[in-house]
C-alpha cells in the first residue's frame, strides 16, 4: 500500500512536469509553502508594500508553483474583479514570464455564489437596517489599515504576528456584527483556500509554492495549514532567517 502511494505521488508530479527527487527514506520531500498577503487596491496607497515591493518579495521566494485567490475562470481568462490590481499588474505577468504552474483557490460556481451571495446580502441588510453600525465599521477599517501602514516598514512586517492579530480581530468583529452567515461563509471560504493549497502541494512534492491570499484571509489560512503533515509551511515573516 505504501509503495502504491509513492508511485501515485510520482505519477501525479510527473504529469505536471515536476517529478520529485525522493528523500533517503523513500518519501517524496515536502513542498515548501509560503502564504503571502495581498492588499488589492491598498497596494496603491501603501508605499512599504506597493506593487513593486510585492513583485520583489515573490521573486525572492522564487516559486515553482502559484496558488491564487482567484476563481478558475479568472485564472484561465486572466481577468479579475477590478479591485485585485496585483493580479493584472504583477502576478499574471510573472506566472507567464516564468512559465509557472498556477492553481485557483477561490471556488467555482455554484459554490462561489453559495458563499458570496448570502454574505453580500447580509452586508446590504446591515447598511439598510443599521447604517450607524455600518459606518462605524468603515471607520474602523480605515483606521486599522492606516495604523498598520505605519507599522509596515518591511514586507516581512505585513506578515508578522502583530499584523495577524490586528487584522484577525478587525475581520472577526466585522463578521460578528454583520451576522452568523458572514462568520460561517468566511470560515468556509478560507477552508476552501487551504484545501486547494493542499491539493496543489500533493501534486508538487519538493517544489516551492507561493500562495497569494487577501490579507483578511491569510491569518486563518495559516492556522488551517499549521498542522498539515504534507507541507513545510514557512512563515514569510521569518523568511530572511529561514533562507534559503
Amino acid at each position: 500500500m505504501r509503495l502504491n502511494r509513492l508511485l501515485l505521488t510520482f505519477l501525479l508530479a510527473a504529469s505536471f512536469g515536476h517529478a520529485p527527487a525522493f528523500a533517503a527514506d523513500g518519501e517524496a520531500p515536502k513542498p515548501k509553502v509560503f502564504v503571502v498577503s495581498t492588499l488589492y487596491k491598498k497596494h496603491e496607497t501603501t508605499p512599504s508594500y506597493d506593487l513593486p515591493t510585492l513583485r520583489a518579495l515573490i521573486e525572492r521566494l522564487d516559486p515553482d508553483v502559484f496558488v491564487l485567490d482567484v476563481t478558475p475562470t479568472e485564472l484561465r481568462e486572466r481577468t479579475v474583479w477590478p479591485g485585485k490590481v496585483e493580479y493584472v499588474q504583477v502576478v499574471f505577468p510573472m506566472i507567464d514570464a516564468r512559465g509557472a504552474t498556477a492553481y485557483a483557490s477561490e471556488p467555482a460556481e455554484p459554490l462561489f455564489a453559495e458563499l458570496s451571495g448570502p454574505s453580500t446580502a447580509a452586508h446590504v441588510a446591515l447598511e439598510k437596517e443599521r447604517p450607524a453600525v455600518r459606518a462605524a465599521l468603515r471607520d474602523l477599517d480605515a483606521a486599522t489599515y492606516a495604523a498598520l501602514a505605519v507599522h509596515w516598514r518591511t514586507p516581512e512586517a505585513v506578515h508578522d504576528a502583530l499584523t495577524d492579530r490586528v487584522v484577525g480581530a478587525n475581520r472577526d468583529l466585522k463578521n460578528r456584527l454583520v451576522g452568523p452567515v458572514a462568520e460561517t461563509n468566511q470560515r468556509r471560504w478560507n477552508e476552501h483556500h487551504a484545501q486547494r493549497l493542499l491539493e496543489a502541494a500533493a501534486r508538487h512534492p519538493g517544489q516551492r509554492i507561493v500562495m497569494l491570499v487577501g490579507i483578511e484571509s491569510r491569518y486563518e489560512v495559516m492556522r488551517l495549514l499549521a498542522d498539515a503533515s504534507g507541507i513545510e509551511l514557512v512563515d514569510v515573516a521569518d523568511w530572511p532567517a529561514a533562507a534559503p
Side-chain angles (χ1 to χ4, degrees):
M1 181 64 73
R2 184 171 180 271
L3 179 61
N4 288 341
R5 287 200 301 270
L6 290 174
L7 179 60
L8 177 59
T9 298
F10 181 87
L11 291 174
L12 281 170
S15 71
F16 282 85
H18 294 265
F22 286 92
D25 63 359
E27 294 285 357
K30 295 178 181 180
K32 192 184 295 286
V33 172
F34 305 86
V35 183
V36 173
S37 288
T38 63
L39 304 182
Y40 306 158
K41 285 188 72 65
K42 289 186 178 72
H43 281 293
E44 298 176 340
T45 56
T46 308
S48 60
Y49 200 48
D50 57 11
L51 293 177
T53 302
L54 175 65
R55 181 186 294 109
L57 173 61
I58 297 171
E59 288 174 347
R60 277 200 295 125
L61 299 177
D62 193 23
D64 304 296
V65 177
F66 289 76
V67 179
L68 313 174
D69 67 334
V70 299
T71 67
T73 299
E74 288 173 330
L75 176 58
R76 183 173 60 253
E77 298 179 355
R78 298 295 200 262
T79 59
V80 294
W81 172 67
K84 292 184 175 181
V85 296
E86 65 272 33
Y87 283 94
V88 175
Q89 298 187 43
V90 174
V91 180
F92 290 153
M94 286 187 72
I95 290 170
D96 294 338
R98 297 170 72 94
T101 301
Y103 299 93
S105 65
E106 283 193 347
E109 296 292 0
L111 182 57
F112 186 99
E114 179 184 329
L115 296 180
S116 64
S119 294
T120 299
H123 280 273
V124 171
L126 183 68
E127 182 81 52
K128 180 179 179 180
E129 298 166 9
R130 304 175 69 191
V133 173
R134 187 70 186 91
L137 290 178
R138 281 194 293 268
D139 291 344
L140 173 64
D141 211 47
T144 296
Y145 284 98
L148 284 172
V150 177
H151 169 62
W152 292 338
R153 298 184 179 182
T154 66
E156 289 76 27
V158 178
H159 301 84
D160 69 13
L162 175 59
T163 295
D164 282 349
R165 290 196 301 272
V166 172
V167 172
N170 181 44
R171 183 76 198 212
D172 290 347
L173 178 59
K174 286 189 289 186
N175 286 341
R176 180 65 56 87
L177 293 177
V178 172
V181 68
E183 293 180 290
T184 298
N185 287 355
Q186 183 68 45
R187 184 184 68 252
R188 292 179 63 193
W189 193 272
N190 291 332
E191 288 170 350
H192 193 278
H193 281 313
Q195 184 60 39
R196 296 292 84 75
L197 181 283
L198 294 175
E199 290 171 1
R203 292 178 169 90
H204 298 277
Q207 300 294 292
R208 297 167 70 86
I209 302 176
V210 164
M211 180 182 203
L212 295 164
V213 293
I215 194 167
E216 293 195 359
S217 287
R218 179 186 181 271
Y219 70 98
E220 188 170 10
V221 170
M222 287 288 290
R223 181 182 60 78
L224 290 167
L225 294 175
D227 296 326
S229 61
I231 62 173
E232 179 186 348
L233 183 63
V234 182
D235 196 331
V236 177
D238 298 329
W239 172 238

